Amino acid sequence: LRFHMHACREEKEGRAVAGAGFGSCEHPVVHLLGPHLDLWLSSEGSTFILQVLVYSVPFLSCASLVVFSALTTLRHGNWTMNRIVKYQVTSLFTGALAGLVGVGGGLVFSPFFLLTGMHPAVAIGTSSTVVLFTSSSTTMQYIFTDRIIMPLAVIYGVTTLLASYAGTRLVHVLQDKFAARRSYLTFIVALGVATSAALSCIKLVRMMQEPAAPGPVIGQ
């Protein structure tokens, strides 16, 4: 909403926002604000208030949920405050990282859960469940800003769905046949993290080797 409100405001002033173009005021997301959007965006004051509300309402809602869950866990879960803060800071860092660079949260959560002494099968299952929230939030933001190539998303989504099912079945098979050997599941998690890190490093090297795009020429 914030992105499209800003784009609509800029369009009314004769400018186009990168990634939005003209026609932003007719975007379906903008119409979620009702038929009085033109009136609300007619002044800088009302536009600023709307953008602040779009930022502050989700942030305050998440902050309230974090505080509530921390107090509930502290009172009824027999957790120490140090442990609660450690988990929440890791979740905050992972969510921000997933939103910024698209890194799957499981690459952070799974090793973190293993380091805290969680059973490998429980760590994998818990990580997969937590990633559902981070990936959904990031996906919705990119959908609302029209930054997802839907045909590719469908193709990769179906592929990862089948791969996830196969991976889950493998975890169950290993857990049933080698219940006492937690090292097998730990090795799978470590292999996945190492593979992702290697691919990220290769991508970084290739990006650094690409020639820089020419900047604007002064006077033109």
Side-chain angles (χ1 to χ4, degrees):
L1 287 176
R2 185 206 61 82
F3 174 81
H4 288 289
M5 283 193 301
H6 175 66
C8 181
R9 173 69 179 178
E10 293 295 307
E11 180 179 328
K12 288 180 176 295
E13 297 180 356
R15 300 187 296 269
V17 177
F22 288 94
S24 299
C25 294
E26 302 300 325
H27 196 279
V29 174
V30 177
H31 291 293
L32 294 176
L33 297 175
H36 304 293
L37 179 64
D38 291 339
L39 178 62
W40 293 344
L41 295 180
S42 60
S43 65
E44 294 184 0
S46 58
T47 303
F48 175 76
I49 293 175
L50 286 174
Q51 292 182 345
V52 170
L53 288 176
V54 171
Y55 266 127
S56 60
V57 171
F59 176 79
L60 293 177
S61 300
C62 292
S64 301
L65 183 60
V66 167
V67 174
F68 174 77
S69 61
L71 294 177
T72 303
T73 306
L74 186 64
R75 294 175 181 175
H76 307 289
N78 296 325
W79 281 34
T80 63
M81 181 57 70
N82 183 37
R83 188 181 183 186
I84 294 174
V85 171
K86 181 169 59 177
Y87 272 77
Q88 291 185 345
V89 169
T90 302
S91 301
L92 178 63
F93 168 76
T94 305
L97 190 64
L100 288 173
V101 299
V103 174
L107 297 176
V108 179
F109 283 122
S110 292
F112 171 74
F113 291 150
L114 291 176
L115 291 175
T116 58
M118 190 178 294
H119 189 282
V122 178
I124 294 173
T126 305
S127 174
S128 300
T129 304
V130 173
V131 168
L132 177 64
F133 296 95
T134 58
S135 60
S136 299
S137 174
T138 304
T139 301
M140 294 304 296
Q141 293 182 57
Y142 283 117
I143 287 178
F144 284 156
T145 54
D146 301 325
R147 296 179 181 178
I148 292 182
I149 304 176
M150 294 308 297
L152 289 180
V154 172
I155 294 174
Y156 284 113
V158 173
T159 304
T160 54
L161 177 64
L162 298 176
S164 299
Y165 175 78
T168 303
R169 294 293 300 172
L170 177 61
V171 169
H172 286 299
V173 170
L174 293 176
Q175 187 177 7
D176 293 338
K177 291 187 176 181
F178 309 98
R181 301 297 299 271
R182 299 184 180 183
S183 58
Y184 291 161
L185 296 180
T186 303
F187 174 75
I188 293 176
V189 173
L191 180 63
V193 173
T195 302
S196 177
L199 293 176
S200 299
C201 292
I202 293 174
K203 178 62 176 179
L204 177 62
V205 171
R206 291 181 178 178
M207 291 177 61
M208 295 178 63
Q209 291 177 347
E210 292 179 357
V217 180
I218 299 176
Q220 293 186 355

